[in-house]
Amino acid sequence: MKIAIAGSGALGCGFGYHLQKGGADVTLLDNWEQHIKTISEKGLTISVNGSKDNQEMDICRPHELKEKMDVIFVFTKSMGLKSMMESIEHIIGPDTKIVCLLNGLGHLKTLEKYINRKNIIMGTTVWTAGIDAPGHTHFNGQGPVEIQNSDPSEKEATIEIVDLLQKSGLNGEYSENVNFTIWRKACVNGTMNALCTILDANIEEVFATPTIDSMLRNIIKEFATVAKHQDNVTLNVEETISYLKSLADKVGAHYPSMHQDLNNNRPTEIDFLNGEVAEASKKLGLEAPYCQQITDLIHAKEAILGIT
Ligand code: NAD
């Protein structure tokens, strides 16, 4: 199976590494010159759950890859998805599948501008990853990766990708309701990421604050309202709060990626999380004051840090 990883940062390198080990013919695509140079010359150095390895991998800029791919995993940040899709149009054939595991909301709508819905596979992953230096990444956890075809006719093709993910050690699972999974993951990012970033604290510290219940409830209510109106997804607010608290117990010492993005002077994905809920609410004639305020605060912090 010919696979391209469109956006080979932390998660993209981790997926590319595993898929190649699982027998796929993988090409990493990226635009970060130093990262491309290091991987081309010295291979990808990766630590998987603490175990270090180095693997030769094909890597180039998107326009340099000429063949049509069987499957393309997109792994940009949310705000980079549109421009990445523009730069990979030439490697998309009539049956090429795009797998999207980005955090955030609204990506199906973006992808549909470039590719027929029947070839879009949406999902989430709870693998975590980071970049230590160009060409050096780490990849942690046990997964899973949950995916589902956006069109009912493509279940068989999606199960083939699930099998490849399994064979590659990425713990693929076929999801019968990926929209629910995407919304629930958005609730995780829209609460933990946003609050830890604004409060400059780790998850354990934020979840120990006396106001945690009302902060979570106010945000999740807004996510649940839009999920219902827009995608007919039912998010039970109290069940989601319990889920978040159980997750917080497991990853308390962690500073979420949004916090790390600001520390590294990189823009956040807030517009695709709380910002998307605030915008969608306006379009539905509703209000989402908590998500709007959180979005404004994160953008204010980006401005203070001079991040554009
Ligand atoms: P990333 O920032 O590591 O990579 C995204 C792109 O940014 C890549 O093209 C990468 O090469 C580029 N990039 C990264 N650092 C750069 C630098 N210093 N200079 C120039 N370019 C640079 O993003 P990611 O963590 O792989 O996340 C991809 C998507 O997956 C996001 O939507 C994220 O929210 C989601 N996600 C991430 C994780 C995680 O643990 N990293 C987990 C689940 C979901």
Side-chain angles (χ1 to χ4, degrees), residues 7-12 30 32 35 75-78 101-103 125 127-129 131 185 266 269:
S8 299
L11 216 51
D30 211 68
W32 181 9
H35 194 53
F75 275 123
T76 58
K77 289 285 197 186
S78 297
L101 303 172
L102 305 195
N103 281 333
T125 182
W127 285 100
T128 62
I131 299 183
K185 183 90 193 284
R266 301 187 69 209
E269 294 182 297

mmCIF file of all heavy atoms in Angstrom, residues 7-12 30 32 35 75-78 101-103 125 127-129 131 185 266 269, ligand 1:
data_model
loop_
_atom_site.group_PDB
_atom_site.id
_atom_site.type_symbol
_atom_site.label_atom_id
_atom_site.label_comp_id
_atom_site.label_asym_id
_atom_site.label_seq_id
_atom_site.Cartn_x
_atom_site.Cartn_y
_atom_site.Cartn_z
ATOM 1 N N GLY A 7 2.259 16.158 6.251
ATOM 2 C CA GLY A 7 2.495 16.881 7.503
ATOM 3 C C GLY A 7 3.205 15.910 8.434
ATOM 4 O O GLY A 7 2.560 15.132 9.137
ATOM 5 N N SER A 8 4.552 15.925 8.381
ATOM 6 C CA SER A 8 5.310 14.913 9.131
ATOM 7 C C SER A 8 5.995 15.533 10.335
ATOM 8 O O SER A 8 7.225 15.555 10.432
ATOM 9 C CB SER A 8 6.310 14.236 8.195
ATOM 10 O OG SER A 8 5.603 13.611 7.157
ATOM 11 N N GLY A 9 5.177 16.072 11.231
ATOM 12 C CA GLY A 9 5.693 16.585 12.495
ATOM 13 C C GLY A 9 5.717 15.449 13.510
ATOM 14 O O GLY A 9 6.085 14.311 13.180
ATOM 15 N N ALA A 10 5.307 15.751 14.731
ATOM 16 C CA ALA A 10 5.399 14.780 15.818
ATOM 17 C C ALA A 10 4.571 13.524 15.533
ATOM 18 O O ALA A 10 5.092 12.408 15.497
ATOM 19 C CB ALA A 10 4.924 15.447 17.102
ATOM 20 N N LEU A 11 3.275 13.721 15.326
ATOM 21 C CA LEU A 11 2.393 12.561 15.142
ATOM 22 C C LEU A 11 2.624 11.919 13.769
ATOM 23 O O LEU A 11 2.622 10.695 13.639
ATOM 24 C CB LEU A 11 0.938 13.037 15.277
ATOM 25 C CG LEU A 11 -0.052 12.097 15.937
ATOM 26 C CD1 LEU A 11 0.427 11.569 17.263
ATOM 27 C CD2 LEU A 11 -1.393 12.778 16.110
ATOM 28 N N GLY A 12 2.840 12.755 12.742
ATOM 29 C CA GLY A 12 3.056 12.242 11.386
ATOM 30 C C GLY A 12 4.269 11.323 11.316
ATOM 31 O O GLY A 12 4.216 10.246 10.719
ATOM 32 N N ASP A 30 6.719 17.062 3.971
ATOM 33 C CA ASP A 30 6.780 18.191 4.895
ATOM 34 C C ASP A 30 7.416 19.394 4.209
ATOM 35 O O ASP A 30 7.924 19.281 3.082
ATOM 36 C CB ASP A 30 7.548 17.811 6.176
ATOM 37 C CG ASP A 30 7.024 18.559 7.382
ATOM 38 O OD1 ASP A 30 5.889 18.310 7.796
ATOM 39 O OD2 ASP A 30 7.734 19.455 7.894
ATOM 40 N N TRP A 32 9.368 21.682 6.318
ATOM 41 C CA TRP A 32 10.337 22.207 7.278
ATOM 42 C C TRP A 32 11.727 21.735 6.827
ATOM 43 O O TRP A 32 12.061 20.560 6.968
ATOM 44 C CB TRP A 32 9.972 21.686 8.662
ATOM 45 C CG TRP A 32 10.840 22.134 9.787
ATOM 46 C CD1 TRP A 32 11.819 23.089 9.779
ATOM 47 C CD2 TRP A 32 10.800 21.628 11.128
ATOM 48 N NE1 TRP A 32 12.379 23.211 11.004
ATOM 49 C CE2 TRP A 32 11.783 22.331 11.860
ATOM 50 C CE3 TRP A 32 10.036 20.662 11.771
ATOM 51 C CZ2 TRP A 32 12.004 22.080 13.208
ATOM 52 C CZ3 TRP A 32 10.252 20.406 13.102
ATOM 53 C CH2 TRP A 32 11.227 21.117 13.826
ATOM 54 N N HIS A 35 14.216 19.719 9.100
ATOM 55 C CA HIS A 35 13.637 18.404 9.434
ATOM 56 C C HIS A 35 13.822 17.449 8.235
ATOM 57 O O HIS A 35 14.267 16.310 8.398
ATOM 58 C CB HIS A 35 12.154 18.650 9.715
ATOM 59 C CG HIS A 35 11.399 17.554 10.373
ATOM 60 N ND1 HIS A 35 11.798 16.942 11.542
ATOM 61 C CD2 HIS A 35 10.210 16.950 10.027
ATOM 62 C CE1 HIS A 35 10.880 16.033 11.888
ATOM 63 N NE2 HIS A 35 9.926 16.016 10.973
ATOM 64 N N PHE A 75 -1.546 15.136 8.713
ATOM 65 C CA PHE A 75 -1.103 15.402 10.089
ATOM 66 C C PHE A 75 -0.525 16.803 10.209
ATOM 67 O O PHE A 75 0.548 16.995 10.783
ATOM 68 C CB PHE A 75 -0.071 14.366 10.534
ATOM 69 C CG PHE A 75 -0.672 13.108 11.069
ATOM 70 C CD1 PHE A 75 -0.366 11.884 10.502
ATOM 71 C CD2 PHE A 75 -1.550 13.135 12.144
ATOM 72 C CE1 PHE A 75 -0.919 10.714 11.003
ATOM 73 C CE2 PHE A 75 -2.118 11.971 12.648
ATOM 74 C CZ PHE A 75 -1.797 10.757 12.069
ATOM 75 N N THR A 76 -1.229 17.782 9.628
ATOM 76 C CA THR A 76 -0.851 19.175 9.842
ATOM 77 C C THR A 76 -1.470 19.618 11.157
ATOM 78 O O THR A 76 -2.271 18.894 11.757
ATOM 79 C CB THR A 76 -1.438 20.060 8.739
ATOM 80 O OG1 THR A 76 -2.859 19.887 8.768
ATOM 81 C CG2 THR A 76 -0.901 19.669 7.370
ATOM 82 N N LYS A 77 -1.169 20.831 11.606
ATOM 83 C CA LYS A 77 -2.021 21.455 12.604
ATOM 84 C C LYS A 77 -3.304 21.860 11.854
ATOM 85 O O LYS A 77 -3.293 22.016 10.620
ATOM 86 C CB LYS A 77 -1.343 22.702 13.179
ATOM 87 C CG LYS A 77 -0.159 22.368 14.077
ATOM 88 C CD LYS A 77 -0.605 21.849 15.423
ATOM 89 C CE LYS A 77 0.548 21.919 16.420
ATOM 90 N NZ LYS A 77 0.205 21.292 17.691
ATOM 91 N N SER A 78 -4.391 22.101 12.596
ATOM 92 C CA SER A 78 -5.681 22.391 11.953
ATOM 93 C C SER A 78 -5.582 23.529 10.943
ATOM 94 O O SER A 78 -6.156 23.465 9.851
ATOM 95 C CB SER A 78 -6.708 22.773 13.017
ATOM 96 O OG SER A 78 -6.919 21.690 13.877
ATOM 97 N N LEU A 101 -6.931 12.603 11.309
ATOM 98 C CA LEU A 101 -6.985 12.357 12.761
ATOM 99 C C LEU A 101 -6.676 13.634 13.555
ATOM 100 O O LEU A 101 -6.317 13.568 14.728
ATOM 101 C CB LEU A 101 -5.979 11.260 13.139
ATOM 102 C CG LEU A 101 -6.133 9.916 12.428
ATOM 103 C CD1 LEU A 101 -4.962 8.988 12.740
ATOM 104 C CD2 LEU A 101 -7.434 9.240 12.832
ATOM 105 N N LEU A 102 -6.778 14.788 12.875
ATOM 106 C CA LEU A 102 -6.445 16.050 13.559
ATOM 107 C C LEU A 102 -7.381 16.283 14.732
ATOM 108 O O LEU A 102 -8.547 15.914 14.672
ATOM 109 C CB LEU A 102 -6.612 17.247 12.611
ATOM 110 C CG LEU A 102 -5.880 17.279 11.275
ATOM 111 C CD1 LEU A 102 -5.906 18.684 10.724
ATOM 112 C CD2 LEU A 102 -4.490 16.764 11.387
ATOM 113 N N ASN A 103 -6.884 16.944 15.742
ATOM 114 C CA ASN A 103 -7.775 17.448 16.781
ATOM 115 C C ASN A 103 -8.601 18.583 16.193
ATOM 116 O O ASN A 103 -8.181 19.236 15.231
ATOM 117 C CB ASN A 103 -6.967 17.989 17.964
ATOM 118 C CG ASN A 103 -6.459 16.858 18.853
ATOM 119 O OD1 ASN A 103 -7.051 15.791 18.927
ATOM 120 N ND2 ASN A 103 -5.349 17.117 19.539
ATOM 121 N N THR A 125 -7.127 9.993 17.575
ATOM 122 C CA THR A 125 -6.140 9.117 18.209
ATOM 123 C C THR A 125 -5.756 9.681 19.574
ATOM 124 O O THR A 125 -5.770 10.900 19.764
ATOM 125 C CB THR A 125 -4.870 8.938 17.353
ATOM 126 O OG1 THR A 125 -3.995 8.029 18.037
ATOM 127 C CG2 THR A 125 -4.129 10.245 17.103
ATOM 128 N N TRP A 127 -2.776 8.463 20.846
ATOM 129 C CA TRP A 127 -1.316 8.429 20.900
ATOM 130 C C TRP A 127 -0.843 9.858 21.157
ATOM 131 O O TRP A 127 -1.512 10.816 20.709
ATOM 132 C CB TRP A 127 -0.736 7.963 19.552
ATOM 133 C CG TRP A 127 -0.875 6.502 19.292
ATOM 134 C CD1 TRP A 127 -1.822 5.909 18.498
ATOM 135 C CD2 TRP A 127 -0.061 5.440 19.799
ATOM 136 N NE1 TRP A 127 -1.639 4.548 18.490
ATOM 137 C CE2 TRP A 127 -0.570 4.228 19.279
ATOM 138 C CE3 TRP A 127 1.045 5.390 20.646
ATOM 139 C CZ2 TRP A 127 -0.012 2.987 19.580
ATOM 140 C CZ3 TRP A 127 1.603 4.146 20.938
ATOM 141 C CH2 TRP A 127 1.086 2.967 20.416
ATOM 142 N N THR A 128 0.269 10.043 21.835
ATOM 143 C CA THR A 128 0.816 11.392 21.991
ATOM 144 C C THR A 128 2.227 11.422 21.406
ATOM 145 O O THR A 128 2.902 10.389 21.364
ATOM 146 C CB THR A 128 0.863 11.844 23.462
ATOM 147 O OG1 THR A 128 1.721 10.960 24.174
ATOM 148 C CG2 THR A 128 -0.516 11.871 24.089
ATOM 149 N N ALA A 129 2.635 12.610 20.966
ATOM 150 C CA ALA A 129 3.931 12.705 20.290
ATOM 151 C C ALA A 129 4.493 14.106 20.456
ATOM 152 O O ALA A 129 3.765 15.050 20.763
ATOM 153 C CB ALA A 129 3.744 12.390 18.806
ATOM 154 N N ILE A 131 8.193 16.749 19.196
ATOM 155 C CA ILE A 131 9.440 16.895 18.434
ATOM 156 C C ILE A 131 10.508 17.379 19.402
ATOM 157 O O ILE A 131 10.313 18.378 20.098
ATOM 158 C CB ILE A 131 9.258 17.923 17.291
ATOM 159 C CG1 ILE A 131 8.175 17.430 16.322
ATOM 160 C CG2 ILE A 131 10.575 18.148 16.543
ATOM 161 C CD1 ILE A 131 7.959 18.317 15.116
ATOM 162 N N LYS A 185 -13.493 14.124 21.944
ATOM 163 C CA LYS A 185 -12.084 14.545 21.967
ATOM 164 C C LYS A 185 -12.015 16.081 21.954
ATOM 165 O O LYS A 185 -11.158 16.678 22.610
ATOM 166 C CB LYS A 185 -11.359 13.947 20.746
ATOM 167 C CG LYS A 185 -9.871 14.238 20.668
ATOM 168 C CD LYS A 185 -9.039 13.179 21.367
ATOM 169 C CE LYS A 185 -7.589 13.557 21.598
ATOM 170 N NZ LYS A 185 -6.727 13.505 20.448
ATOM 171 N N ARG A 266 4.337 29.138 18.898
ATOM 172 C CA ARG A 266 3.585 28.680 17.727
ATOM 173 C C ARG A 266 2.102 28.964 17.950
ATOM 174 O O ARG A 266 1.613 28.895 19.087
ATOM 175 C CB ARG A 266 3.801 27.180 17.506
ATOM 176 C CG ARG A 266 5.283 26.835 17.301
ATOM 177 C CD ARG A 266 5.466 25.380 16.916
ATOM 178 N NE ARG A 266 4.953 25.100 15.599
ATOM 179 C CZ ARG A 266 4.469 23.907 15.233
ATOM 180 N NH1 ARG A 266 4.427 22.917 16.088
ATOM 181 N NH2 ARG A 266 4.026 23.718 14.012
ATOM 182 N N GLU A 269 -4.498 25.885 18.161
ATOM 183 C CA GLU A 269 -5.635 25.407 17.350
ATOM 184 C C GLU A 269 -6.975 25.885 17.947
ATOM 185 O O GLU A 269 -8.014 25.302 17.664
ATOM 186 C CB GLU A 269 -5.592 23.877 17.276
ATOM 187 C CG GLU A 269 -4.393 23.340 16.510
ATOM 188 C CD GLU A 269 -4.370 21.805 16.390
ATOM 189 O OE1 GLU A 269 -4.287 21.148 17.447
ATOM 190 O OE2 GLU A 269 -4.444 21.303 15.264
HETATM 191 P P1 NAD B 1 3.337 19.243 14.824
HETATM 192 O O1 NAD B 1 3.348 20.675 15.214
HETATM 193 O O2 NAD B 1 4.388 18.364 15.415
HETATM 194 O O3 NAD B 1 3.484 19.129 13.225
HETATM 195 C C1 NAD B 1 2.599 19.812 12.365
HETATM 196 C C2 NAD B 1 3.419 20.474 11.260
HETATM 197 O O4 NAD B 1 4.204 21.527 11.820
HETATM 198 C C3 NAD B 1 4.391 19.525 10.561
HETATM 199 O O5 NAD B 1 4.369 19.792 9.179
HETATM 200 C C4 NAD B 1 5.727 19.879 11.182
HETATM 201 O O6 NAD B 1 6.840 19.601 10.365
HETATM 202 C C5 NAD B 1 5.561 21.371 11.402
HETATM 203 N N1 NAD B 1 6.470 21.846 12.439
HETATM 204 C C6 NAD B 1 6.543 21.420 13.731
HETATM 205 N N2 NAD B 1 7.510 22.102 14.399
HETATM 206 C C7 NAD B 1 8.055 22.956 13.506
HETATM 207 C C8 NAD B 1 9.105 23.925 13.576
HETATM 208 N N3 NAD B 1 9.759 24.157 14.731
HETATM 209 N N4 NAD B 1 9.403 24.632 12.469
HETATM 210 C C9 NAD B 1 8.746 24.417 11.305
HETATM 211 N N5 NAD B 1 7.725 23.518 11.163
HETATM 212 C C10 NAD B 1 7.404 22.802 12.243
HETATM 213 O O7 NAD B 1 1.868 18.693 15.078
HETATM 214 P P2 NAD B 1 1.398 17.317 15.738
HETATM 215 O O8 NAD B 1 1.649 17.365 17.187
HETATM 216 O O9 NAD B 1 1.960 16.205 14.938
HETATM 217 O O10 NAD B 1 -0.171 17.423 15.551
HETATM 218 C C11 NAD B 1 -0.819 17.192 14.303
HETATM 219 C C12 NAD B 1 -2.319 17.134 14.565
HETATM 220 O O11 NAD B 1 -2.597 16.007 15.412
HETATM 221 C C13 NAD B 1 -2.890 18.345 15.315
HETATM 222 O O12 NAD B 1 -4.218 18.568 14.910
HETATM 223 C C14 NAD B 1 -2.869 17.894 16.773
HETATM 224 O O13 NAD B 1 -3.805 18.577 17.581
HETATM 225 C C15 NAD B 1 -3.263 16.440 16.592
HETATM 226 N N6 NAD B 1 -2.854 15.572 17.692
HETATM 227 C C16 NAD B 1 -1.585 15.685 18.203
HETATM 228 C C17 NAD B 1 -1.208 14.838 19.239
HETATM 229 C C18 NAD B 1 0.177 14.900 19.829
HETATM 230 O O14 NAD B 1 0.399 14.336 20.896
HETATM 231 N N7 NAD B 1 1.156 15.546 19.182
HETATM 232 C C19 NAD B 1 -2.115 13.891 19.735
HETATM 233 C C20 NAD B 1 -3.379 13.795 19.159
HETATM 234 C C21 NAD B 1 -3.739 14.646 18.137
#
